[in-house]
C-alpha cells in the first residue's frame, strides 16, 4: 500500500446528491479513497451505497457534486474512468456454461489483450482456481464463482476496483475466501472500494470505514478512530472494548432527524 499521504486520492467524491422523484437517496456525500487502500462503505439496505457506486462507475449521473477516479471526472471524462475502474456487482456475472478458463479468455479477448490464454492461466493461479479451470463455472461453489468474478474484473489491470456487497449470500467459508482475495488485491497496490452491510466484514478488511446512513456520511475514519467516538465507560472486573457494531448503532441512533428519509 502507498504511504504517501500527500498523494491525490484514487477516488474523490464531493457534495454528491441524487434523488429519484421525491426520494432523496444521496444528500451531499463527501468521500476520499486513498490509492492502494481498502475503504469500506458501510450501511444498511437503502442507505444509498449502490447508487453511489453506480455514479462513480459512470452508470448513473449525479444531480449535484463531483466525482473523480484516478483524476478523471466521471461526468466529463467517462471513457477515461471506465478504462481505470472495474466494477463487480452484487451477483457474480460469470457464464456458467463456460469453464472458468473460458470465462477469463472471453473477457481478455473482449479487451483486445495479447495472449488471452496466458492471462487466463495467470489469473487462475493467482486466485487458486487452476485445478478447477477446466470445469464449467456452473459447478463452482459460491466462493469460487465470486473469486472467478473478481478475477474477470482484474483483466487489464485496473488500478481501482469497486466491489458492491461481494459476500452477500455466501456461506462463512466462502466469505473468508473472498476476504483473502480482497486483502491480496490491496497488498498488490489495487485501490478497493468495498460496500457492505456486514459490520464484521468492514472491521476485518478496511483501512478506513465510512458509515453511510440515509444518504449522508455519518462518520469516516479508521476503526480505532471510530471507536474513539463512543463515550468512555467505567467497567468493573471486565473491560469491554467497543466494537464496530457499537459505533454503528450509536451513530445511527443519534443521527439528526434531518438526515432521515422524507415520508
Amino acid at each position: 500500500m502507498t504511504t504517501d499521504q500527500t498523494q491525490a486520492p484514487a477516488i474523490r467524491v464531493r457534495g454528491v446528491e441524487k434523488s429519484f422523484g421525491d426520494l432523496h437517496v444521496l444528500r451531499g456525500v463527501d468521500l476520499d479513497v486513498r490509492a492502494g487502500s481498502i475503504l469500506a462503505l458501510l450501511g444498511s439496505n437503502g442507505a444509498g451505497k449502490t447508487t453511489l457506486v453506480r455514479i462513480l462507475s459512470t452508470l448513473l449521473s449525479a444531480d449535484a457534486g463531483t466525482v473523480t477516479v484516478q483524476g478523471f471526472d466521471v461526468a466529463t471524462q467517462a471513457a477515461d474512468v471506465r478504462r481505470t475502474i472495474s466494477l463487480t456487482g452484487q451477483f457474480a456475472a460469470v457464464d456458467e456454461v463456460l469453464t472458468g478458463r473460458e470465462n477469463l479468455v472471453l473477457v481478455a479477448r473482449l479487451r483486445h489483450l495479447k495472449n488471452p490464454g496466458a492471462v487466463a492461466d495467470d489469473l487462475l493461479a493467482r486466485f487458486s482456481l487452476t485445478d478447477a479451470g477446466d470445469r464449467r463455472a456452473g459447478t463452482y461453489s459460491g466462493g469460487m464463482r465470486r473469486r472467478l468474478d473478481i478475477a474477470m474484473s482484474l483483466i487489464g489491470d485496473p488500478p481501482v476496483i469497486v466491489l458492491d456487497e461481494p459476500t452477500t449470500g455466501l456461506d462463512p467459508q466462502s466469505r473468508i475466501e473472498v476476504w483473502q482475495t480482497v486483502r491480496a488485491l490491496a497488498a498488490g497496490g489495487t485501490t478497493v472500494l468495498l460496500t457492505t452491510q456486514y459490520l464484521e466484514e468492514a472491521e476485518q478488511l478496511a483501512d478506513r470505514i465510512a458509515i453511510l446512513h440515509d444518504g449522508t456520511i455519518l462518520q469516516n475514519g479508521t476503526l480505532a478512530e471510530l471507536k474513539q467516538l463512543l463515550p468512555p465507560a467505567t467497567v468493573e472486573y471486565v473491560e469491554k472494548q467497543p466494537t464496530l457494531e457499537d459505533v454503528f448503532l450509536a451513530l445511527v441512533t443519534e443521527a439528526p432527524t434531518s438526515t432521515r428519509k422524507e415520508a
Side-chain angles (χ1 to χ4, degrees):
M1 298 183 186
T2 180
T3 58
D4 183 2
Q5 299 298 315
T6 65
Q7 183 178 354
I11 300 174
R12 171 167 284 174
V13 179
R14 290 291 180 271
V16 168
E17 299 180 9
K18 184 65 183 179
S19 297
F20 298 96
D22 294 331
L23 178 61
H24 302 295
V25 180
L26 299 176
R27 306 166 181 262
V29 172
D30 294 328
L31 192 66
D32 285 345
V33 184
R34 183 168 51 86
S37 70
I38 303 174
L39 183 137
L41 185 61
L42 175 65
S44 57
N45 284 333
K49 303 187 301 296
T50 296
T51 298
L52 182 60
V53 163
R54 293 180 66 194
I55 289 172
L56 69 87
S57 56
T58 76
L59 298 176
L60 187 66
S61 298
D63 296 335
T66 60
V67 179
T68 60
V69 179
Q70 294 291 101
F72 299 114
D73 189 290
V74 300
T76 61
Q77 299 170 294
D80 293 307
V81 171
R82 292 175 191 137
R83 280 192 289 268
T84 61
I85 196 171
S86 183
L87 169 63
T88 299
Q90 293 183 17
F91 303 99
V94 303
D95 188 324
E96 297 190 352
V97 175
L98 301 179
T99 67
R101 189 174 189 277
E102 288 169 343
N103 270 281
L104 293 166
V105 168
L106 174 62
V107 175
R109 286 177 174 170
L110 290 173
R111 299 205 60 159
H112 306 289
L113 299 185
K114 295 180 180 179
N115 202 347
V119 172
D121 291 338
D122 177 67
L123 286 168
L124 287 171
R126 182 173 169 185
F127 285 85
S128 302
L129 291 170
T130 299
D131 291 343
D134 292 325
R135 284 170 41 197
R136 286 194 309 107
T139 68
Y140 285 11
S141 67
M144 292 171 68
R145 280 197 300 271
R146 183 49 103 178
R147 296 205 318 269
L148 176 61
D149 194 29
I150 296 173
M152 291 164 62
S153 298
L154 292 182
I155 292 176
D157 296 320
V160 177
I161 184 168
V162 179
L163 304 175
D164 192 9
E165 299 192 14
T167 63
T168 296
L170 296 184
D171 61 77
Q173 180 58 42
S174 296
R175 288 181 68 198
I176 292 172
E177 291 175 357
V178 173
W179 288 358
Q180 292 170 340
T181 298
V182 173
R183 291 191 187 101
L185 290 176
T190 302
T191 302
V192 180
L193 172 61
L194 170 79
T195 76
T196 183
Q197 54 183 307
Y198 298 127
L199 298 165
E200 180 190 10
E201 187 160 271
E203 196 163 4
Q204 286 287 328
L205 293 178
D207 299 303
R208 297 183 68 84
I209 300 166
I211 298 177
L212 183 66
H213 178 65
D214 278 354
T216 62
I217 300 292
L218 294 185
Q219 289 293 337
N220 181 2
T222 65
L223 179 61
E225 289 169 346
L226 293 181
K227 287 182 177 181
Q228 290 298 316
L229 297 174
L230 291 179
T234 301
V235 182
E236 293 185 31
Y237 304 115
V238 178
E239 181 181 354
K240 179 179 182 298
Q241 293 296 322
T243 66
L244 181 57
E245 183 174 6
D246 296 327
V247 178
F248 180 77
L249 292 176
L251 289 171
V252 170
T253 301
E254 297 171 4
T257 56
S258 61
T259 68
R260 302 190 185 281
K261 293 179 181 176
E262 299 178 356

